[in-house]
Amino acid sequence: MRVATLGALQAALPGAVLALALGLMTLPGEFVFDDVHAVVENDRVASLQSIPGYFTENYWGEFTNGGLYRPLTLTLFTLQHALFGGESATGYHFVNALLYAACTALVGMIAFRLGAAQSIASAVGLVFAACPIHVEAYAPVVGLSELGAGLMALVLLYTQLGAGFSQRFGVAQEDPAPVRRAVGAGVLLLVALFFKESALAILVPVIAGHIVARQKARRLAAESAGSETSWLRQHLPTYVALMLACAVWGGLRAHALEGPTDEIGVLNNVLSERTGAARVAGGLEVSARYCGKLMLPWPLSADYSYPALVPTESLTAPLALTGGALWLLLGVATLVLLLRGRAAAVACCLFGAALLPVSNVLFPIGTIFAERLLYMPSVGACLALALAATSLRKPNPRVVAAALVLIAGVGAVFSLLRIPQWRTELALAESIVVAQKLSAKGHEKFGWELFQDSLREDFTGDAQQQKRRASRHLERSIVLHEEHNNAYLNLGIVYGDLGKHWKMYDLATKFLEREPNSLDGHALLATAHLKLDQPKNAISTAAIGIDLLPQHPRLHRLHQIRGRAHFQMRNYEAAARDLQIAVAANAADVSTFLLYLPALVHSGNRATAIRAIDAALATAPAASHYPLMRREFPALLNNRGLLLAEAGEYERALADYTRALGFLPGFSKARQNRVESLLRLGRVGEAEADVQLLRQSLGAADVDKWYGEVRHRIPLPTD
């Protein structure tokens, strides 16, 4: 047994090393796509106290209704957040790299345990590690669910094969501790299911492994009828434990997902709108496409949604017939292999059991096609490849292994080309548009990311040209799918930034016609009114949204817009009330905070304004992003100085102006205010020194004119 274990570890090592190396290439990557909702914008993962609740809540929390239940994935996100924080994704990617390496190691070990030659098992491990379709499983942070479920499921399969396979001879042995093994199997399955529901598919190859072991035992040992009971007694505790694990998971999942769930929709999966033969035909085509993508994994895309992929509705269409033939061939081959006690049956069962639920043949799922869903089926395909290569009489196994290593090398090159596309949202969105030119979601995502890119401080290109380019992709998204509401919303925002305010208004109106209860729609329409200089309409639109959605977690957006409209109409008290709500909900919104201050001042609440600045200044130096950007720190000091000066507290005001200039020496407004406070305090010499500095930066003529006005307003004792 020690020799077999050593051989399995040797078979696992090459693939694990390559998988880890590729996984580490993702470390520079940011949070992308679903990572943002799952980690960055998910308040739950910021607190360890949230962990117990994950087992009674759906995966997305309030972001969407039901659909997914993955408590251990969220638990690991929370633990990682405690270790790495929520700003950089590097630590999260490192964990994914380790998990991917461990999964790859198990592929090599299972191949060896099933009977593959060690050299071929090692080579197939390399093939698995290098497969480009796996990039979608380990490059994004949310791939943790796929990797965690896969790892636990493969550990379960490996240990169960150990119960029925003696070293490499396929002879069934009596398990000395069936109950202990059964408990371990139940725990492994439950943990896997808590990562992702797809782990349920591992039950089929586990049972197949037991059947194969039994068939080999009958053939090789010619057991008596009495041994039948012994074999059944050996595995019965395992099956009971596995059923209990499924029952516990199923009960918790049903409780967590009770209530209405969001519709899948045509955009995500056109097959969700089909029934009967039309859906089955589409599912068969998807099955064929999955097999094709597994054999030729390029080009790759993070999105295949409508109308990029619209499967056939006819059972007689070529791709539907191909998919049907593949399933028939797989079923017949699996049955024959099981009856003959061939280990390849385990590989076939794993491939089929993992692929069938995601193919949409049995039922529609949340997406029509996704490369990450090939992760577990590819394990079965690699195991089958290893066993098929080992069974070849010619050429020599080492020659076959060398050919597989060459295939792995090619795959690694394509993986290295694919990994950078997952490093940023913009790069990933662009890769979708390149690979799937008809993807409405792809064009919408790319357009929005282009717009966001144009707003970044470090953007060096033509911002207006970038925004116009963004609008074209968003317009293309609407042409491809008129019901893609996010495209209307985002295009409206871009139009507003481009000054196309009436187009913004039209899109907001169309969006609200489709989603009348949308906070984003009311916010867009209210903003359009504001940009069209219609503050009364902006106030009424925001009020409708506030009354309609009083419990919405992002209601502060409507208060912010209504506050701006009130400020524009000089209703300063009403503006201050709305802006206070917005600031309390989102202290990082600097522009709203800086509008809140004058609203307070104009409404006569100078003391409140000073307290608000005091609170902001107390935390601003400690963090560069929350609650206020560090670059706004001097402006806050200057504003507080002005308020203190109005109250006659010139010494305190002078201290604030001086501190602001310490952060930003070129802050001319603060220096001018400092001059006035110095004059009020009779410190003429210091004031004159500051005036000289202002002459150098603003020009002597302008400064002299301003200083003359100040001297006239603030007469000195000698005057």
Side-chain angles (χ1 to χ4, degrees), residues 102-415:
C103 289
T104 305
L106 278 163
V107 172
M109 294 172 70
I110 293 172
F112 182 75
R113 176 158 282 185
L114 287 174
Q118 182 179 312
S119 59
I120 290 178
S122 298
V124 165
L126 290 170
V127 171
F128 180 84
C131 188
I133 60 170
H134 294 164
V135 174
E136 188 171 320
Y138 62 79
V141 170
V142 292
L144 175 69
S145 62
E146 207 77 54
L147 300 171
L151 178 61
M152 293 298 103
L154 293 180
V155 171
L156 172 61
L157 179 59
Y158 183 76
T159 55
Q160 288 303 304
L161 291 177
F165 288 76
S166 175
Q167 296 186 16
R168 294 174 48 74
F169 302 104
V171 179
Q173 290 185 327
E174 182 74 18
D175 189 348
V179 175
R180 185 175 62 186
R181 186 179 294 274
V183 172
V187 171
L188 285 171
L189 179 61
L190 188 60
V191 171
L193 290 171
F194 280 158
F195 272 109
K196 190 177 180 182
E197 56 278 1
S198 60
L200 200 63
I202 203 65
L203 292 175
V204 179
V206 165
I207 296 172
H210 293 164
I211 295 173
V212 168
R214 182 59 185 153
Q215 293 294 88
K216 287 191 174 186
R218 281 180 171 177
R219 186 174 64 253
L220 299 177
E223 294 177 334
S224 62
S227 65
E228 294 277 353
T229 304
S230 173
W231 182 85
L232 180 61
R233 186 170 62 248
Q234 180 182 0
H235 293 297
L236 184 59
T238 297
Y239 295 145
V240 171
L242 294 175
M243 286 189 291
L244 284 174
C246 290
V248 170
W249 168 77
L252 289 171
R253 183 178 186 274
H255 173 72
L257 303 184
E258 63 182 357
T261 59
D262 290 340
E263 294 182 2
I264 297 172
V266 172
L267 184 63
N268 294 314
N269 187 352
V270 67
L271 297 182
S272 66
E273 302 295 314
R274 297 185 190 175
T275 58
R279 197 206 68 245
V280 172
L284 292 175
E285 177 178 333
V286 170
S287 302
R289 289 184 180 275
Y290 269 130
C291 292
K293 189 64 71 175
L294 192 59
M295 290 185 290
L296 187 63
W298 201 266
L300 299 177
S301 172
D303 180 75
Y304 292 83
S305 60
Y306 185 86
L309 176 56
V310 182
T312 181
E313 296 185 20
S314 172
L315 288 169
T316 59
L319 280 176
L321 290 174
T322 301
L326 289 172
W327 281 117
L328 179 62
L329 180 62
L330 179 64
V332 172
T334 302
L335 181 61
V336 171
L337 291 169
L338 279 174
L339 293 175
R340 294 185 178 182
R342 304 295 186 188
V346 177
C348 291
C349 283
L350 177 54
F351 176 78
L355 183 61
L356 186 59
V358 302
S359 67
N360 291 280
V361 171
L362 299 179
F363 47 80
I365 63 172
T367 184
I368 191 168
F369 190 99
E371 293 156 15
R372 64 184 179 278
L373 301 183
L374 273 175
Y375 184 68
M376 284 303 289
S378 69
V379 176
C382 286
L383 294 177
L385 177 63
L387 295 174
T390 300
S391 67
L392 295 175
R393 297 184 182 276
K394 292 182 180 181
N396 185 286
R398 292 185 178 180
V399 176
V400 177
L404 292 174
V405 170
L406 180 61
I407 293 173
V410 175
V413 171
F414 282 101
S415 292

Side-chain angles (χ1 to χ4, degrees), residues 306 440 476-485 487-488 514:
Y306 185 86
R476 176 62 175 161
S477 176
I478 294 173
V479 170
L480 289 169
H481 184 51
E482 292 184 355
E483 303 300 318
H484 189 12
N485 292 342
Y488 286 90
R514 290 174 167 80

